[in-house]
């Protein structure tokens, strides 16, 4: 299996990350992509590569995490790939051998595990499928001696549960079949600073009918860093990146003939990205809001209203910021005065 590790100025955490992969009991290669680091990350990578012949280093000018992941994906020789951010780490002694054997047995092209989140006080993301969710709760929350389990399902079965739970890409908890990604030319959109992982995961789940496996085991520890690239990006850039991701999903819908259910699921993912974008808008300074309001179109408002209705139908309530965000839409559209022009500029069509 190929572990792809994009690296940018994470010297403080990099050794722990690499060591956590090295300690896994599995035949692997580590492809570390140094994305123009200016700290001592490059030296740390060189030291590890000198000790372990299965570590390869790719060095490139700073292009962003998507470009780094794509470079690693192009170089990967393993039958399966796993993306690990260099400030996070894998938990010890995970059952990767068993997972890869199960993927071959069920002809699954994706395996999804759980992850633990530092900023949620080390809480873990629950699986989407009910049976495996109960197993995870028994092991981790109720501290029972139950063994971990897996469940193989079609993406068509899996997506409704994933959407109901609240779509979260958790890219780092997925194992992907390398040939599957290459056959469909699935890569990360390098123009996006936010939501690139959401776009990648939903395309991987829907570009053809597939079997995937969900596990109850926590594979990954996600560390929240206030100075990470995502958190340092300004809210204006994040807002525009989210709108580009929504447009990319709309292009994806146009280019493929999905059944009604899958189409709806992809729309729901777009709406989750929109909700995040509007959260970024609310955090902007007044001067930035004035500039960004030109990008808020009737199309987006229609998407937001539809997603809010679906959210209410699924969970019985709207999001906490529903009325606040709705009022923002109304004010922006009312002040615009010429909605048709903004619709033309948005590139988004419902």
């Amino acid at each position: 299996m190929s572990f792809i590790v994009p690296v940018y100025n994470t010297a403080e955490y990099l050794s722990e990350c690499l060591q956590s992969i090295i300690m896994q009991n599995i035949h692997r290669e580590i492809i570390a992509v140094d994305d123009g680091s200016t700290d001592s990350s490059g030296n740390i990578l060189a030291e590890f590569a000198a000790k372990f012949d299965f570590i390869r280093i790719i060095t490139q000018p700073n292009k962003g995490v998507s470009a780094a992941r794509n470079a690693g994906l192009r170089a990967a020789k393993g039958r399966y790939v796993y993306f690990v951010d260099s400030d996070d780490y894998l938990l010890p002694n995970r059952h990767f051998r068993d997972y890869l054997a199960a993927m071959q047995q069920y002809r699954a092209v994706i395996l999804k595990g759980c992850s633990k989140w530092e900023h949620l006080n080390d809480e873990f993301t629950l699986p989407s499928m009910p049976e495996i969710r109960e197993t995870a709760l028994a092991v981790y929350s109720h501290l029972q001696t139950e063994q971990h389990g897996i469940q193989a399902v079609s993406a068509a079965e899996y997506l409704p549960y994933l959407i109901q739970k609240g779509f979260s890409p958790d890219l780092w908890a997925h194992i992907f079949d390398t040939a599957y990604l290459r056959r469909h030319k699935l890569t990360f959109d390098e123009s996006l600073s936010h939501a690139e992982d959401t776009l990648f995961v939903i395309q991987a789940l829907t570009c053809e009918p597939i079997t995937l496996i969900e596990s109850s085991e926590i594979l990954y520890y996600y560390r929240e860093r206030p100075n990470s690239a995502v958190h340092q990006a300004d809210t204006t850039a994040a807002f525009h990146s989210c709108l580009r991701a929504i447009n990319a999903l709309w292009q994806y819908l146009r280019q493929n003939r999905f059944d009604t259910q899958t189409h709806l699921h992809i729309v729901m993912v777009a709406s989750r990205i929109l909700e995040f974008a509007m959260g970024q808008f609310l955090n902007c300074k007044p001067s930035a809001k004035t500039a960004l309001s030109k990008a808020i179109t009737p199309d987006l408002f229609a998407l937001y209203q539809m997603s809010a209705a679906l959210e209410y139908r699924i969970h019985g309530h709207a999001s906490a910021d529903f009325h606040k965000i709705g009022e923002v839409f109304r004010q922006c559209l009312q002040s615009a005065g010429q909605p048709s022009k903004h619709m033309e500029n948005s590139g988004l069509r419902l």
Side-chain angles (χ1 to χ4, degrees):
M1 183 160 67
S2 299
F3 292 88
I4 298 172
V5 184
V7 179
Y8 180 70
N9 290 352
T10 52
E12 181 180 354
Y13 310 101
L14 183 54
S15 294
E16 182 181 22
C17 172
L18 295 174
Q19 196 65 42
S20 76
I21 303 173
I22 292 168
M23 295 300 291
Q24 302 298 326
N25 183 22
I26 188 174
H27 181 74
R28 72 284 196 211
E29 68 169 356
I30 299 175
I31 303 174
V33 184
D34 186 353
D35 189 44
S37 295
T38 56
D39 65 357
S40 59
S41 294
N43 295 332
I44 295 171
L45 290 175
E47 291 173 6
F48 271 87
K51 294 178 183 177
F52 302 98
D53 59 6
F54 54 81
I55 297 180
R56 289 193 285 155
I57 302 172
I58 298 173
T59 303
Q60 64 183 31
N62 181 242
K63 299 179 181 178
V65 67
S66 290
R69 288 172 180 152
N70 287 340
L73 185 55
R74 287 193 296 270
K77 296 180 180 178
R79 179 170 180 176
Y80 302 97
V81 294
Y82 193 113
F83 297 97
V84 181
D85 286 352
S86 59
D87 50 355
D88 302 331
Y89 59 87
L90 299 178
L91 297 184
N93 303 318
R94 300 300 91 178
H95 296 88
F96 283 113
R97 287 191 179 200
D98 295 337
Y99 293 141
L100 300 190
M103 290 180 75
Q104 294 181 43
Q105 177 186 349
Y106 292 103
R107 297 184 179 179
V109 296
I110 299 174
L111 183 139
K112 170 68 164 53
C114 303
S115 51
K116 186 179 287 188
W117 291 62
E118 181 183 57
H119 74 291
L120 296 177
N121 297 318
D122 285 359
E123 291 184 9
F124 67 100
T125 57
L126 285 170
S128 298
M129 300 303 294
E131 179 181 333
I132 296 302
R133 185 189 304 124
E134 290 303 314
T135 301
L137 285 170
V139 174
Y140 293 116
S141 295
H142 307 320
L143 302 180
Q144 297 177 9
T145 57
E146 187 169 338
Q147 289 186 339
H148 282 292
I150 62 171
Q151 184 174 359
V153 296
S154 69
E157 295 175 86
Y158 176 72
L159 275 169
Y161 289 101
L162 180 62
I163 295 294
Q164 185 174 2
K165 191 187 75 167
F167 187 97
S168 176
D170 285 356
L171 172 70
W172 43 83
H174 290 77
I175 300 172
F176 297 96
D177 183 291
T178 309
Y180 172 74
L181 297 181
R182 289 175 175 164
R183 184 168 70 250
H184 291 283
K185 300 179 180 179
L186 291 176
T187 58
F188 294 89
D189 189 328
E190 298 180 14
S191 72
L192 301 179
S193 61
H194 290 71
E196 82 291 336
D197 49 356
T198 302
L199 180 61
F200 181 87
V201 170
I202 193 63
Q203 289 177 329
L205 287 170
T206 58
C207 63
E208 75 172 57
I210 63 166
T211 296
L212 62 91
I213 294 172
E214 191 168 38
S215 166
S216 62
E217 186 175 34
I218 298 174
L219 306 180
Y220 192 94
Y221 189 87
Y222 178 84
R223 180 182 277 117
E224 188 84 354
R225 289 193 303 126
N227 61 338
S228 68
V230 169
H231 288 87
Q232 284 187 326
D234 66 60
T235 52
T236 300
F239 178 83
H240 283 300
S241 179
C242 288
L243 294 195
R244 287 196 298 273
I246 292 169
N247 280 326
L249 282 176
W250 247 250
Q251 292 295 328
Y252 181 58
L253 283 172
R254 286 197 192 106
Q255 294 165 3
N256 297 274
R257 293 185 177 181
F258 294 111
D259 60 82
T260 302
Q261 186 92 342
T262 302
H263 187 104
L264 178 60
H265 291 148
I266 295 172
V267 170
M268 284 295 293
V269 172
S271 72
R272 299 291 165 89
I273 298 174
L274 176 59
E275 188 168 349
F276 176 81
M278 295 307 298
Q280 296 297 303
F281 181 92
L282 293 175
N283 291 327
C284 285
K285 296 178 180 179
S287 58
K289 286 182 179 179
T290 300
L292 293 179
S293 64
K294 297 177 182 178
I296 295 179
T297 68
D299 311 61
L300 291 175
F301 189 34
L303 173 60
Y304 182 70
Q305 288 179 309
M306 180 176 65
S307 68
L310 291 170
E311 186 80 13
Y312 191 87
R313 182 174 180 179
I314 292 172
H315 298 293
H317 59 82
S319 66
D321 290 332
F322 171 72
H323 293 294
K324 186 187 296 184
I325 292 175
E327 185 58 30
V328 168
F329 269 112
R330 292 184 182 91
Q331 289 177 3
C332 290
L333 294 174
Q334 186 175 9
S335 63
Q338 293 182 325
S340 60
K341 183 179 294 184
H342 295 308
M343 289 175 70
E344 292 172 1
N345 292 337
S346 73
L348 177 66
R349 294 292 181 271
L350 295 174

